[in-house]
Amino acid sequence: MCGIVGAIADRDVVPVLIEGLKRLEYRGYDSAGIAVVNDRDVRRVRRTGRVAEMADAAAAEGFHASLGIGHTRWATHGGVTEANAHPHISHGIALVHNGIIENHEEQREKLGALGYAFESQTDTEVIAHLIHHHLKQGNGDLLGALQRVVKELTGAYALAVISRAEPGRMVCARMGCPLLIGLGEGENFVASDVSAVVQATRNVVFLEEGDTAEVARDGVRVYDRNDQPVERETHVSSVSLSSLELGPYRHFMQKEIHEQPRAIGDTIEATIDGGFVPELFGRNAAAVLEGIEGVQILACGTSYYAGLTARYWIEGMAGMPCSVEIASEYRYRQAYADPKHLVVTISQSGETLDTMEALKHAKSLGRAHTLSICNVPESAIPRASELVCYTRAGAEIGVASTKAFTTQLAALFQLAVVLAKLRGRLGADDEAQCLEQLRQLPGGVQQALNLEPQVVAWAEKFAAKQNALFLGRGLHYPIALEGALKLKEISYIHAEAYPAGELKHGPLALVDSAMPVVVIAPNNSLLEKVKSNMQEVRARGGELFVFADQDSNFGESEGVHVIRTPRHVGLLSPVVHTIPVQLLAYHTALARGTDVDKPRNLAKSVTVE
Ligand code: F6R
């Protein structure tokens, strides 16, 4: 969602801000802006639409400065207008904000009574006026005023502030939204995401909840929630620049789909080398995993579907109860909380607000043990978890999650095997077979990618449709859900997924000759059941598009199209069957001419409720 970048240097920082904002574009936004301090004045440019348009306007107006902040906004309070875009300014103080200020109406009223006029409908503008109000009262300098103001705010924020009166520094604050400081040589940066500053520095300090900081050219000082100076560790970011660039691909989503054999290979590397050991999930994992008696998975969207798949593995292999719940539901429920159940959060970004809040809620209900499966090192959710397993997909830029999902599945499969081993439910032969299946997985995924030309032919038919149904059973039902989600979010075709056995309990009413029905039908114990469900569709004139593996023994016939997926890879079959549904969504969206990497109304990191 919204993104922040700020810089102070001897050089012109405007190109740094623009580059940083371009690297934040993937998070999803609908307007962008920068503000700079120059000759004791604050200048600002904002535009709705793309960063490139805002950058052209800044160039046309001759923006150059050695101190500035920038922002990409994803509208929450107030529509997509230039007046609502950040930075917001009050009397020479400019600021950018990620998050939501919940008591903004109360603050707005108070400031109105003090004579402040509002130019926007945002919750953010109150913060700029509040800072000015405190400065006017003589309540300290810019940092002191910010420290006072944040204590008057409820909600979530990452803030970066500059002032024409203090051209030698930026000040910033965080609560509930990520913010980091990038440390350069004689220049420093702030950003909501490391990708925004990685072109300038890899040395980063992650602010903690409640921290404020002052960032000057020659140094950085961080203060804790009690305004006491505090040291925060410097990390060296491992984000690679190539993962942030498109290379020969047309879209990041296409690139990321094709990166999956590598991404999965990296994620399983430690297991292939060292076997299924608890330490894959952190140094103290053995003690924790040995003592648990069940698993509760919390996640949103695609990550939730990874959790649904994992339930089959965990209950089937480890023989322990596993429940999976959408984080935004769990967080508001007085759920039964068994302290012996491990809470597993799954999140690509590691900063999804609902998942973070669900984790906090689980802890408040007495859940002692937590594990985060996450793709972004040092992000908020793993930092709040006892155990961590990082998937090694690399930066995922396309809004629609692809390689993050399949690497989450790889990590969750490893968790299930480790739990099964610890509970004495896996013999040496079974373990060797799991390892072999895992070893073959990147190859199986590559073979599935080779189906692309056949999927393109299907996508041309799908592009003309209004609706689609996806069916799967057992382990492949979550993959049907994932296929439907991918299709709807990037092609805007209405798509729903059902367990195939559920068809006759309602959705069959939707089936006619205009309804394409995608079926995931590998050769497993449910295949004959799936075939019966397919008959139900054909009998109503529905057109079937079946992904069936080499052993499924399916033939094409009228109204039944079949693409043969690679030879069955056992319990990991859902991973392989994910690839063709991703490709179907991608090529259908391409044929419909939608903005594949930045679908309308969606954001990559969902940092608001
Ligand atoms: C769909 C998609 C979303 C995310 C969801 C959770 O393609 O990307 O449904 O999966 O917003 O995000 P993370 O995994 O970052 O917590």
Side-chain angles (χ1 to χ4, degrees), residues 127-156:
I127 313 172
H129 293 317
L130 277 172
I131 294 174
H132 175 257
H133 173 64
H134 279 289
L135 286 169
K136 204 168 105 194
Q137 302 294 106
N139 290 336
D141 57 8
L142 190 61
L143 178 70
L146 177 67
Q147 288 172 335
R148 279 169 189 268
V149 167
V150 293
K151 293 183 182 65
E152 294 172 19
L153 303 177
T154 54

Side-chain angles (χ1 to χ4, degrees), residues 174-176 209 298 330-331 343 345 353-367 370 384:
R174 105 156 247 197
M175 178 68 85
E209 289 290 79
L298 302 171
Y330 180 84
R331 63 179 285 199
V343 174
T345 53
L353 190 78
D354 282 322
T355 308
M356 184 65 187
E357 292 302 318
L359 171 63
K360 287 187 193 160
H361 183 59
K363 287 187 190 174
S364 77
L365 293 175
R367 298 298 184 93
T370 57

Side-chain angles (χ1 to χ4, degrees), residues 218-233:
D218 52 1
V220 167
R221 244 173 268 157
V222 182
Y223 303 85
D224 66 14
R225 60 177 73 219
N226 300 315
D227 305 334
Q228 295 306 307
V230 68
E231 287 294 321
R232 300 280 181 227
E233 214 183 313

Side-chain angles (χ1 to χ4, degrees), residues 300-303 346-349 352 399-401 408 485-486 489 606:
C300 303
T302 287
S303 297
I346 310 171
S347 176
Q348 186 287 129
S349 60
T352 300
V399 162
S401 190
Q408 285 167 352
L485 178 63
K486 287 292 91 96
E489 71 182 326
V606 186

Side-chain angles (χ1 to χ4, degrees), residues 401-439:
S401 190
T402 52
K403 61 179 179 172
F405 179 65
T406 48
T407 53
Q408 285 167 352
L409 291 178
L412 288 159
F413 179 76
Q414 296 174 83
L415 177 65
V417 178
V418 168
L419 291 173
K421 254 181 90 177
L422 288 174
R423 289 169 70 86
R425 289 179 56 102
L426 203 72
D429 285 354
D430 291 339
E431 185 180 346
Q433 202 188 351
C434 288
L435 197 62
E436 189 48 32
Q437 285 171 355
L438 206 57
R439 203 192 305 273

